[in-house]
Amino acid sequence: MGLDWGWAPWQLQLFGVLLAFYHVSEFTLAAVFMRQQLSWSSWLITKPYCLAMGTGLLEFWLESWLWPQLKQLTSISLLGLVLAVLGETIRKAGMVTAGRNFTHTIQSQKSPQHQLVTWGIYRFVRHPGYLGWFLWSVGTQVLLVNPFCAIGFAIVAWRFFKARLRYEEALLVNFFGLDYVDYRARTPTYIPFLP
């Protein structure tokens, strides 16, 4: 038993790259499309998020020490990388497609320029930002071959989006009426068990 990494395993290096790209690109797109709402919170770094990612690093370290062969499952790590990159791509496609209609916070009142986006990636996925984040967050833990955090991230993210979708979609029905009801009926979220 012991840690002899030299510098850092490739999974940790990619994990760092994924986190850096996610936060820099979120802030950059917020600066482009949500300039009036731009703040430090646009980096999307919160205490619960830091606790979750810290827990993922702790699991990686402990399992590397106690069960090093687990972290050598390259095919699992590569699957996680694919999930994370796919999630990042879906989320950013949603942000770019929605443009100024995309915000990091749910809008409780419809602004005059607010429109229902049903083209681009929204033609296929009802909430690409949510699906993308779900895949990205779980993918980061699969990349690290963290079985406990991968399951935990999936459960916590699913519960979060279940509550958020219920609230947000009630607002969207109020904003857009039957147009949103029709869009919701024909366009899935692809988040497991959330229609």
Side-chain angles (χ1 to χ4, degrees):
M1 250 189 316
L3 297 175
D4 184 19
W5 289 346
W7 183 66
W10 65 272
Q11 298 99 322
L12 272 185
Q13 293 176 42
L14 282 174
F15 177 74
V17 168
L18 288 170
L19 263 62
F21 183 82
Y22 172 77
H23 292 290
V24 169
S25 62
E26 286 287 325
F27 188 85
T28 301
L29 289 174
V32 171
F33 296 118
M34 302 173 257
R35 194 152 209 42
Q36 69 284 359
Q37 298 174 341
L38 192 65
S39 69
W40 284 107
S41 66
S42 301
W43 289 99
L44 300 184
I45 300 173
T46 63
K47 287 179 185 176
Y49 172 84
C50 290
L51 178 64
M53 291 301 171
T55 302
L57 289 172
L58 179 62
E59 179 181 348
F60 184 83
W61 179 80
L62 284 173
E63 290 170 352
S64 294
W65 182 51
L66 297 171
W67 193 13
Q69 62 273 27
L70 176 67
K71 302 305 178 184
Q72 295 170 11
L73 297 172
T74 303
S75 58
I76 301 293
S77 289
L78 292 175
L79 172 64
L81 179 61
V82 168
L83 284 173
V85 170
L86 177 64
E88 183 74 8
T89 302
I90 291 169
R91 181 169 173 83
K92 295 313 187 273
M95 292 177 76
V96 170
T97 300
R100 298 193 190 287
N101 291 292
F102 189 98
T103 60
H104 283 141
T105 57
I106 295 175
Q107 304 301 300
S108 58
Q109 295 183 1
K110 183 182 177 194
S111 65
Q113 67 273 13
H114 198 170
Q115 57 183 308
L116 178 60
V117 179
T118 60
W119 59 89
I121 194 164
Y122 287 87
R123 184 173 171 215
F124 308 103
V125 180
R126 193 164 74 243
H127 292 283
Y130 298 163
L131 173 62
W133 196 88
F134 183 87
L135 293 173
W136 178 85
S137 67
V138 173
T140 63
Q141 299 310 300
V142 175
L143 168 69
L144 296 176
V145 194
N146 284 347
F148 297 106
C149 281
I151 292 167
F153 277 40
I155 291 168
V156 170
W158 185 86
R159 286 181 174 171
F160 173 79
F161 289 128
K162 180 182 179 189
R164 189 172 177 109
L165 284 170
R166 186 179 304 126
Y167 175 70
E168 184 175 2
E169 293 204 333
L171 291 170
L172 291 168
V173 168
N174 186 43
F175 294 170
F176 301 110
L178 287 177
D179 287 342
Y180 190 78
V181 171
D182 291 343
Y183 172 69
R184 180 176 60 190
R186 72 177 183 270
T187 314
T189 66
Y190 290 105
I191 297 173
F193 310 109
L194 296 177

